[in-house]
């Protein structure tokens, strides 16, 4: 698949690093072509891999999958710049955080993912990667022998299957979190992870995990 990562910040760059090692084509989209190319070239120079850069509209045009890796507050503007997303899978990696990261601006009755779905009616949205600190990508998707879990939620089965394959190809452990409305739970989970990492001093090499035991 051709994957477009919209955003060249910590999350977008981190995702580009791990996904560029897979068999998928990866393009980083920025507001200007020069900025997109600079971000991609820096990754290739330091880490290798298959990634190139472009402006947002060009990056999205030939993509099968578009990952939104910008602050949630910027998604409406980015979607407008991107042009038609019809027929593409949109991965929402955002969290609707307040400016001081102390809480969420959405919850209970909606989520960032559901609001984005309203804006891209012709494209299925899958929530994923929002509970993973950007710093984890630099150290790799495994804690020892255990892969970091990436929860994903969506309403389109085919889109969810494709996203699950991308997650696993990058070395993570894909965990099905149900329908898109369950993003209302995944986004607070990300907020808790931020509180644990920063406010409570656990650092950024932490990640939530769902463990289970087989019944006797």
């Amino acid at each position: 698949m051709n994957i477009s990562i919209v955003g060249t910040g910590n999350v977008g760059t981190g995702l580009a690093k791990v996904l560029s090692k897979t068999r998928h084509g990866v393009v980083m989209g920025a507001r200007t072509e020069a900025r997109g190319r600079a971000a991609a070239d820096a990754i290739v120079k330091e880490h290798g891999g298959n990634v190139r850069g472009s402006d947002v509209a060009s990056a999205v045009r030939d993509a099968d999958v578009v990952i939104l890796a910008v602050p949630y507050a910027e998604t409406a503007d980015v979607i407008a710049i991107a042009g038609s997303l019809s027929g593409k899978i949109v991965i929402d990696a955002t969290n609707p955080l307040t400016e001081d990261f102390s809480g969420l601006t959405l919850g209970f009755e909606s989520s960032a993912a559901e609001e984005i779905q309203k804006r891209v009616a012709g494209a299925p949205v899958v929530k994923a990667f929002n509970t993973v600190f950007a710093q984890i990508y630099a150290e790799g998707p495994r804690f020892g022998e255990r892969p970091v879990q990436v929860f994903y939620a969506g309403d389109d089965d085919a889109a969810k299957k494709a996203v699950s394959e991308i997650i696993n190809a990058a070395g993570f452990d894909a965990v099905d979190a149900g329908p898109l409305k369950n993003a209302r739970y995944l986004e607070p989970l990300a907020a808790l992870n931020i509180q644990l990492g920063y406010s409570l001093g656990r650092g950024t090499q932490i990640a939530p995990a769902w463990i289970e035991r087989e019944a006797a």
Side-chain angles (χ1 to χ4, degrees), residues 34-94:
R35 186 172 179 178
R37 285 186 174 181
D41 289 347
I43 291 172
V44 173
K45 182 177 180 180
E46 184 176 356
H47 300 278
N50 176 28
V51 58
R52 59 186 180 85
S54 186
D55 62 279
V56 171
S58 297
V60 166
R61 187 177 302 120
D62 297 324
D64 301 302
V65 178
V66 177
I67 302 178
L68 297 179
V70 295
Y72 171 67
E74 297 180 15
T75 55
D77 187 32
V78 164
I79 290 169
I81 295 171
S84 176
L85 294 170
S86 180
K88 305 178 189 300
I89 298 170
V90 175
I91 297 177
D92 169 31
T94 75

Side-chain angles (χ1 to χ4, degrees), residues 5-196:
I5 301 172
V6 179
T8 57
N10 291 335
V11 174
T13 299
L15 281 169
K17 288 177 182 177
V18 294
L19 293 177
S20 69
K21 301 294 186 179
T22 69
R23 61 188 176 85
H24 303 297
V26 179
V27 181
M28 297 186 73
R31 290 184 181 269
T32 66
E33 181 179 359
R35 186 172 179 178
R37 285 186 174 181
D41 289 347
I43 291 172
V44 173
K45 182 177 180 180
E46 184 176 356
H47 300 278
N50 176 28
V51 58
R52 59 186 180 85
S54 186
D55 62 279
V56 171
S58 297
V60 166
R61 187 177 302 120
D62 297 324
D64 301 302
V65 178
V66 177
I67 302 178
L68 297 179
V70 295
Y72 171 67
E74 297 180 15
T75 55
D77 187 32
V78 164
I79 290 169
I81 295 171
S84 176
L85 294 170
S86 180
K88 305 178 189 300
I89 298 170
V90 175
I91 297 177
D92 169 31
T94 75
N95 288 301
L97 297 166
T98 57
E99 289 188 7
D100 63 359
F101 296 91
S102 65
L104 300 173
T105 60
L106 287 170
F108 297 110
E109 297 181 354
S110 190
S111 62
E114 290 169 282
E115 295 303 307
I116 289 170
Q117 181 67 88
K118 294 175 184 177
R119 296 182 181 276
V120 293
V125 173
V126 178
K127 190 77 184 184
F129 293 112
N130 72 300
T131 58
V132 181
F133 276 127
Q135 292 86 346
I136 284 177
Y137 300 122
E139 298 297 325
R142 305 181 73 87
F143 288 0
E145 295 301 314
R146 185 174 183 175
V148 173
Q149 290 185 348
V150 172
F151 303 96
Y152 64 99
D155 295 331
D156 185 289
D157 289 341
K160 288 179 68 175
K161 184 176 185 295
V163 172
S164 173
E165 290 173 352
I166 290 171
I167 292 169
N168 289 327
F172 296 97
D173 178 21
V175 178
D176 189 343
L180 192 64
K181 70 177 183 180
N182 283 356
R184 301 176 194 181
Y185 310 127
L186 294 180
E187 290 164 8
L189 178 59
L192 174 61
N193 198 43
I194 289 169
Q195 289 296 309
L196 289 169

